[in-house]
Amino acid sequence: MAQWIVFPHAGDYAFDAASARKHWERLHAGDAEPCPKEAKVLEAWALFHNGEFQKAAQAGLKAGGAGLTVANKAACIYANYLEKKEKAKLDLFTEVAERAAAQAAEDPKNANAWYWQAYALGRYSQGISVAKALAQGLGGRVKEALEKAIQLSPKHADARIALGAFHAEVIDKVGPLIGSMTYGAKKDTGLKLFQEALALNPGSAIAMIEYANGLVMLEGDRKMKEATKLYEQAATSKPMDATERLDVEMAKAELQD
């Protein structure tokens, strides 16, 4: 495994297994991951929340079982926010998609096995272009896996964000008619999913960011004011761990452009 880029705010978060367990509900309001019973998996999560993504991925893979979810999340967050090389990024998403698909096959009731498979495929699709990904049939796989995650875990806010983004991206790229007929993408469904995600996890910076992006894709410039307000809220939200910090920093950067 090549050396990953270090989290830019290293040392700002100092979770250990005990504090990760104590704040579990708040830290996992987005992905609704159950608190693990195994000490090694909890330790891997503490590394993740501190922004030690490579160590978290390695520890999760070593622990196996529920640890695969930490490994998948760490690799996805790292690839999405910190990896600069496009090929390395796409390779990581491909690895996660394959690993999560195998995890879902072995443990079909594991909502996050389905979610990380969809997330990795979705980000991979954005990397190669959504139009190309749709032509390869990846759209259907993303949609089905996200719907499965929500069905298995009704309070999964992040799966709703990703599914809302799917509806928005498809409609933005192929239009509402083809989007609806070919891919089952609908504007009202997309907007409703974003709203549900924010109702489940009201302080989520990433929910605000993706909702803002979705609004502009689905409603155009007339929603730019509302989208900017969502970005401003995201930029001023209080991050509790490394991933939330990356979301907040992303919102701030977007507002400065």
Side-chain angles (χ1 to χ4, degrees):
M1 192 185 273
Q3 193 63 37
W4 289 6
I5 294 162
V6 176
F7 172 62
H9 311 282
D12 283 12
Y13 303 95
F15 288 97
D16 57 17
S19 56
R21 180 182 275 117
K22 183 184 174 187
H23 298 287
W24 190 265
E25 205 170 311
R26 164 66 183 80
L27 288 166
H28 292 269
D31 66 5
E33 175 71 8
C35 188
K37 295 177 178 71
E38 305 92 334
K40 283 182 179 175
V41 178
L42 201 53
E43 284 160 16
W45 277 114
L47 290 167
F48 170 82
H49 292 301
N50 293 338
E52 294 184 75
F53 298 123
Q54 188 164 24
K55 284 184 183 174
Q58 289 166 338
L61 288 173
K62 196 176 175 185
L68 294 179
T69 305
V70 198
N72 290 340
K73 186 167 187 175
C76 280
I77 297 302
Y78 169 77
N80 192 48
Y81 292 89
L82 297 175
E83 180 53 64
K84 302 285 191 285
K85 293 174 184 164
E86 199 59 28
K87 186 184 181 303
K89 187 181 291 197
L90 293 177
D91 286 348
L92 280 168
F93 288 137
T94 303
E95 274 174 37
V96 171
E98 288 169 359
R99 192 162 57 227
Q103 188 187 16
E106 200 172 303
D107 183 10
K109 290 187 176 175
N110 184 330
N112 277 320
W114 294 99
Y115 172 69
W116 288 111
Q117 182 186 348
Y119 182 99
L121 286 173
R123 293 298 189 199
Y124 176 85
S125 299
Q126 289 172 329
I128 64 167
S129 97
V130 172
K132 197 184 280 187
L134 289 173
Q136 290 177 14
L138 295 181
R141 285 178 64 192
V142 169
K143 185 170 182 279
E144 282 166 29
L146 289 171
E147 287 171 347
K148 185 84 174 167
I150 293 167
Q151 181 195 335
L152 290 166
S153 179
K155 291 187 175 179
H156 205 304
D158 291 351
R160 282 177 170 77
I161 297 167
L163 191 52
F166 167 83
H167 285 270
E169 291 256 18
V170 170
I171 289 167
D172 183 54
K173 299 299 179 290
V174 302
L177 186 63
I178 294 170
S180 173
M181 287 172 66
T182 311
Y183 305 104
K186 294 179 172 61
K187 182 172 91 168
D188 292 349
T189 306
L191 294 172
K192 184 168 173 272
L193 284 159
F194 288 126
Q195 288 154 8
E196 286 173 356
L198 272 170
L200 284 165
N201 192 10
S204 169
I206 194 60
M208 295 171 204
I209 290 166
E210 294 288 4
Y211 186 21
N213 295 343
L215 271 176
V216 175
M217 279 191 265
L218 293 168
E219 303 278 20
D221 287 351
R222 64 195 184 93
K223 288 289 182 178
M224 194 58 82
K225 200 173 176 180
E226 197 176 326
T228 304
K229 195 178 170 189
L230 282 161
Y231 261 97
E232 286 166 352
Q233 280 178 270
T236 55
S237 64
K238 297 281 179 281
M240 192 168 184
D241 76 347
T243 303
E244 291 183 10
R245 177 72 170 273
L246 289 168
D247 291 330
V248 170
E249 297 295 338
M250 183 168 70
K252 286 179 183 173
E254 191 68 25
L255 288 167
Q256 284 166 4
D257 285 349

